[in-house]
Amino acid sequence: MRRLCLLALFALTACGGGDLVLPNEGQPASLAVVRGDLQNGTVGQPLPDSLVVRVTDRFGDPVPGAEVTWTADNGGTVDPATSLTDGAGRAATVRTLGSQAGTYTTRASVTGLEVDPAIFVTNALAAQLILATQPGSIATSGTPLDPQPVLQLADPAGNPIARGGVTVTVQIASGSGSLSGGTSATSDDNGRVAFAGLAVQGSAGLRTLIFAADGFASVISAPIALGVGAPASIELVTGDGQTVTVGSPLPIAPSVLVKDATGNGVAGVPVSFVITGGGGTVTGEDQVTGAAGTATVGSWTLGKAPGANTLEARISTGGVSGNPVVFHATGQPGPLSPEKSTVAAAPATIGASTGAAFSTITVTATDDFGNPLPNVQVAISATGAGNALVQPSGPTNDKGQAVGRFSSTSPGDHVVSATVNGSTAGRTATVKVTAGPPVASASSAEVGPGTAGAPTAVAVHLKDASGNPVSGAAAKVSIEVSGANSAGGTVTETGNGDYTFSYTPTRTGTDQVRVRVDGAEVPGSPFASVVSAGPADPGQTTADVPGLFSFSTTITVTAKDAQGNVLGRGGDAVVISSDATAPVTAADQGNGTYSAVFAPPSSFTTYSVTITINGAPIAGSPFTTQRFF
């Protein structure tokens, strides 16, 4: 660069340009951000990293001793407000953010330097309050919480902030009532805020508290159960005296209520539900009373024998009236259990036919406990198309069984179900009907247009001689690509007789895609796929920028995709700018080329030309050129 400038100076001297004055070496010519931009910080706090700029002369060498002025926009401070560059041409300051969350900017400028200041952008995040110690979960109205809440000042990431003198206040966030005692506290030097004497007053129920401080995100406490005393009684609420089929769950789950001496429901009391007669099972037998003092068993399923069943709800606290609570239920038998009745198919796989190949369907009817039921009417049905069913010739025999037949011309999984005495059996059988081998003449394929650098999909649909989709036959398909691009390989099955193959073309033109099934081409093969250029790639796009020119020159830009193909179409934004001229949008020639006239104001001057396509610099940008006349 220095050599070119000296050549230009000699040329000017020879032409009588003796009055030309060039900037001196070592004088500030440019200002650039080195580090500290785009930081996140906490309101009212210094940024974690310093803001640093670099001052250089016209040759790109560092300028020491230059005075840099720092300006804090949008609030906050800088320290120092002015600083001198060091031997590397660098100067720095510490930025402290303002008290509001949001975006802050900081400007750095050099006295006498006629260029835009360097701008730093910072995002100020609100700090937060963290509950280091939750207030006691159970309290009595007017009695100080135990333990008392303790909070910690923290940054947005949850790291402690050591700052004293921050006042934190507390209010009720949910529930009625009022607060008494210490309703505010101040942080110590470690940022820790300890409340003392804080109490909640009001009726029995759940409360949450919200803690807040200026400049900090508030925090809400865990629920506090207020006004609840020790358990004094337990009583039945729902679920007694029900009658259901043996082995079935009760429609209403038994529940109890635990109260204190004043009649308030007591939360947090463990309740155990235990079967004491009739057998059966329970789920969720260990419960804890909720906010209203109630506890409900998960479910109660009666035993297999008809008759009386009993369940007890117990708490371990002594001296509680009504403990335990006893629930009664009656089990009655059911003659038929559709849920337990079964459907079986043998064999489970048959070939497609109109009845020559069939599966024997056996339906077994039972009661709830697996006992066979004779003389029950059975009907069978199946999913899918092309089915032929032979219904059982009569009701179930003494083993509870009735037999029918199933066949189908449609390949796939067919679910065979049964109705027993009009109720659907809970279990089914699946019969798999298989298709024949794939046939090229009955199969088909589709190939779409391609884009260089992007996958081109080939869809293949295999069918047998009857037009049924054929699965599991990927090895029967071969695909060969020739023309502008070449490729080959195997296909991947996607299900239901559909297969896919893809290749990625790199050159524009027309590809010929041959699709064969068992060596025979499917109808329409070979398929033509026209490959177009991909989107413009700045790294492949080129420009014709002369090294020397007189007066003006035309710069031509050729847009290419990532594979180096000329786009052959317009529509992209090409901008040409330099250090002496305003940005110019190059004229779109509609064929992938763009042009603009470059006419800088001064002769014998070297210019830096920047060319972008769709906002990104192209290959080789910026370019260096010189106007010699």
Side-chain angles (χ1 to χ4, degrees):
M1 180 65 75
R2 293 190 186 184
R3 187 174 182 181
L4 288 174
C5 291
L6 290 174
L7 290 174
L9 180 60
F10 290 152
L12 285 172
T13 303
C15 294
D19 294 332
L20 177 66
V21 178
L22 296 177
N24 293 327
E25 181 178 4
Q27 295 297 317
S30 64
L31 175 66
V33 172
V34 175
R35 99 169 173 267
D37 193 19
L38 301 177
Q39 296 187 68
N40 289 330
T42 304
V43 293
Q45 296 295 304
L47 291 176
D49 196 7
S50 298
L51 310 186
V52 182
V53 295
R54 186 171 185 259
V55 180
T56 57
D57 62 14
R58 63 188 298 268
F59 302 112
D61 295 326
V63 178
E67 184 179 75
V68 177
T69 300
W70 303 87
T71 303
D73 296 330
N74 314 108
T77 61
V78 289
D79 185 21
T82 60
S83 56
L84 298 180
T85 57
D86 59 15
R90 298 188 177 191
T93 192
V94 175
R95 179 65 154 103
T96 298
L97 301 178
S99 60
Q100 300 297 320
T103 301
Y104 290 78
T105 58
T106 309
R107 290 178 287 124
S109 57
V110 177
T111 304
L113 182 59
E114 296 182 357
V115 298
D116 292 337
I119 303 296
F120 295 81
V121 178
T122 304
N123 186 29
L125 304 176
Q128 61 176 323
L129 299 175
I130 294 177
L131 265 168
T133 301
Q134 289 278 357
S137 61
I138 299 177
T140 302
S141 178
T143 301
L145 300 173
D146 184 19
Q148 289 282 300
V150 179
L151 296 96
Q152 174 66 52
L153 308 183
D155 64 17
N159 302 308
I161 296 176
R163 188 191 307 174
V166 175
T167 299
V168 178
T169 60
V170 60
Q171 294 180 333
I172 294 177
S174 63
S176 61
S178 61
L179 298 178
S180 62
T183 57
S184 65
T186 303
S187 65
D188 60 20
D189 291 341
N190 293 321
R192 195 168 179 83
V193 183
F195 281 78
L198 178 62
V200 183
Q201 295 177 322
S203 59
L206 291 180
R207 307 291 193 280
T208 58
L209 306 180
I210 184 170
F211 299 84
D214 290 340
F216 291 79
S218 59
V219 63
I220 295 178
S221 73
I224 302 169
L226 181 66
V228 177
S233 65
I234 182 172
E235 61 187 45
L236 186 151
V237 179
T238 60
D240 191 34
Q242 301 180 73
T243 299
V244 297
T245 302
V246 292
S248 300
L250 296 179
I252 302 174
S255 64
V256 294
L257 170 63
V258 178
K259 299 189 293 188
D260 64 10
T262 60
N264 294 314
V266 182
V269 179
V271 178
S272 297
F273 292 86
V274 180
I275 292 175
T276 55
T281 59
V282 293
T283 63
E285 61 269 27
D286 295 319
Q287 298 289 327
V288 176
T289 56
T294 60
T296 304
V297 71
S299 68
W300 179 18
T301 300
L302 301 187
K304 298 178 181 180
N309 290 255
T310 55
L311 175 74
E312 290 186 359
R314 309 167 181 171
I315 64 174
S316 60
T317 304
V320 175
S321 64
N323 189 30
V325 174
V326 180
F327 296 87
H328 301 85
T330 302
Q332 61 182 13
L336 173 68
S337 174
E339 294 79 12
K340 294 293 181 67
S341 297
T342 62
V343 180
T349 301
I350 59 175
S353 74
T354 57
F358 61 87
S359 178
T360 299
I361 308 301
T362 302
V363 180
T364 303
T366 68
D367 65 9
D368 285 335
F369 311 111
N371 300 311
L373 297 177
N375 298 317
V376 174
Q377 295 296 326
V378 173
I380 60 175
S381 61
T383 61
N387 299 333
L389 294 167
V390 177
Q391 296 294 337
S393 58
T396 56
N397 57 24
D398 57 355
K399 295 182 179 179
Q401 294 180 338
V403 178
R405 289 183 179 182
F406 166 81
S407 60
S408 179
T409 59
S410 177
D413 291 338
H414 297 257
V415 178
V416 181
S417 56
T419 57
V420 182
N421 269 4
S423 298
T424 302
R427 302 181 187 181
T428 61
T430 299
V431 179
K432 184 178 185 63
V433 180
T434 59
V439 177
S441 60
S443 301
S444 61
E446 300 95 35
V447 182
T451 300
T456 297
V458 180
V460 181
H461 313 287
L462 296 187
K463 294 184 178 181
D464 64 11
S466 300
N468 295 311
V470 180
S471 300
K476 300 285 187 179
V477 183
S478 64
I479 296 179
E480 179 183 353
V481 180
S482 61
N485 299 275
S486 61
T490 57
V491 300
T492 300
E493 183 173 1
T494 59
N496 197 34
D498 293 335
Y499 300 78
T500 185
F501 168 83
S502 69
Y503 72 99
T504 301
T506 60
R507 293 289 176 260
T508 57
T510 301
D511 290 342
Q512 298 295 327
V513 182
R514 293 186 179 275
V515 181
R516 296 182 175 91
V517 177
D518 257 353
E521 292 191 45
V522 301
S525 177
F527 301 90
S529 175
V530 178
V531 181
S532 303
D537 182 17
Q540 293 289 339
T541 299
T542 59
D544 184 11
V545 181
L548 293 172
F549 65 93
S550 62
F551 296 104
S552 66
T553 185
T554 297
I555 296 176
T556 300
V557 179
T558 302
K560 299 179 182 180
D561 64 13
Q563 284 68 42
N565 297 302
V566 176
L567 263 60
R569 62 176 183 270
D572 294 292
V574 176
V575 177
I576 300 175
S577 60
S578 75
D579 48 4
T581 60
V584 174
T585 299
D588 189 342
Q589 304 302 319
N591 60 358
T593 64
Y594 303 80
S595 62
V597 175
F598 177 62
S602 301
S603 301
F604 303 103
T605 303
T606 298
Y607 294 92
S608 177
V609 178
T610 299
I611 302 176
T612 63
I613 185 167
N614 300 326
I618 69 170
S621 181
F623 301 87
T624 300
T625 185
Q626 185 180 40
R627 175 180 170 181
F628 64 85
F629 196 79

